[in-house]
Amino acid sequence: MVDRLSPYRQKRSASRTPEPVPDGSALPGGSNDTFVIQEHHARRLHWDFRLERDGVLVSWAIPKGLPLDPKRNHLAVRTEDHPLE
């Protein structure tokens, strides 16, 4: 079985970040109905968009912000999967 959160865990340290760093145990079960839009204050302010899929949040960074016009799209860059926590 593939550990979908391994890249996430490798990039984080529980002693340096408030983000959850789950252990390698079984992923929580979800209903595949969760989505998150997060204002992310990282090296550069951007937005993250996440969709629940098979126990993880599949994630994209949206570096140019959310489009206000529904006819317009902005770049979305795939990032590592995130835990549901």
Side-chain angles (χ1 to χ4, degrees):
M1 175 166 233
V2 176
D3 178 7
R4 294 180 60 187
L5 292 178
S6 178
Y8 176 89
R9 272 191 223 85
Q10 291 172 358
K11 293 180 179 184
R12 282 156 184 82
S13 168
S15 64
R16 293 180 44 202
T17 179
E19 295 177 295
V21 184
D23 61 16
S25 62
L27 295 174
S31 300
N32 286 332
D33 62 356
T34 301
F35 74 94
V36 176
I37 298 174
Q38 173 189 0
E39 184 179 56
H40 190 174
H41 296 266
R43 280 180 251 136
R44 184 169 170 233
L45 175 64
H46 67 276
W47 295 87
D48 289 338
F49 177 67
R50 299 185 177 132
L51 295 172
E52 179 185 351
R53 187 72 180 150
D54 298 329
V56 298
L57 292 172
V58 181
S59 302
W60 293 265
I62 306 171
K64 296 184 179 186
L66 301 174
L68 299 177
D69 180 353
K71 295 178 183 174
R72 193 167 174 203
N73 291 321
H74 282 189
L75 172 70
V77 180
R78 181 74 165 86
T79 63
E80 71 276 6
D81 293 341
H82 283 61
L84 287 172
E85 295 91 341

